[in-house]
Structure formats: structure tokens, C-alpha cells
Amino acid sequence: HAILRTNFYSGWHGQPLQIVYRHKSPSFHYQDVRGREHAVAEFVVQDKARGFDLSKDALMRVSVFRTGESSYRFVWSFHHIVMDGWCLS
């Protein structure tokens, strides 16, 4: 989808500019955190603090953490410009 390859610049002649790239790598993170019970919670705190730079960051980030032999945690971070509360239902 085009929105997953999009960034927004605010300095173009005083007007916002939407750029849709032909190719842009998605933001995906995988980590095995078995035995480290607070690793996912720490990641979530850091991820929220990181925020999004609309001019260069992927506007949606996906992270998967292996927490056990057959259990995983999924963290889905996105900017409000891509999705809002109405989209989640």
C-alpha cells in the first residue's frame, strides 16, 4: 500500500508535501527474549519515546518477540497520520 511507503515534509514553500516512494523498506524487528521477562515492556517504553519523524521514518513499525517455546508478543506501532481509532475496530 502506498501509505506504507509515504513520508511527509513540512518545509516545502510553507506547505506540507506528501512523498510516496516507489520502494521503501518496511520497519520490522524480531528478537528472542526468552528468559528476559521485562524485555518487551522495556521495548514498548523506548518505542513510545522514539516517536515518529514524519519526514524519514516508516510510519508503521512491527516488532515480534519470542517469549517462550511457543509464545510470542506482537508490538504494532503506527503514527496517527496513517491510522486513527476509527480504523482499529
Side-chain angles (χ1 to χ4, degrees):
H1 295 286
I3 194 63
L4 301 178
R5 301 185 318 272
T6 299
N7 284 106
F8 297 88
Y9 297 91
S10 59
W12 189 73
H13 300 288
Q15 297 292 319
L17 178 65
Q18 179 179 0
I19 305 292
V20 179
Y21 297 95
R22 284 191 179 105
H23 305 285
K24 184 169 179 146
S25 297
S27 180
F28 177 78
H29 174 80
Y30 171 81
Q31 191 173 357
D32 188 336
V33 296
R34 288 178 285 183
R36 298 178 19 219
E37 61 186 67
H38 300 292
V40 176
E42 291 169 2
F43 175 85
V44 169
V45 168
Q46 293 171 358
D47 190 60
K48 284 182 182 180
R50 176 180 166 191
F52 291 89
D53 181 337
L54 294 178
S55 67
K56 65 180 180 180
D57 290 344
L59 302 180
M60 185 179 298
R61 297 188 291 257
V62 173
S63 302
V64 177
F65 297 90
R66 185 172 187 179
T67 56
E69 286 305 311
S70 61
S71 60
Y72 296 83
R73 291 282 308 271
F74 177 79
V75 178
W76 183 20
S77 306
F78 55 88
H79 192 278
H80 181 75
I81 206 166
V82 176
M83 294 189 332
D84 60 15
W86 292 98
C87 296
L88 296 177
S89 61

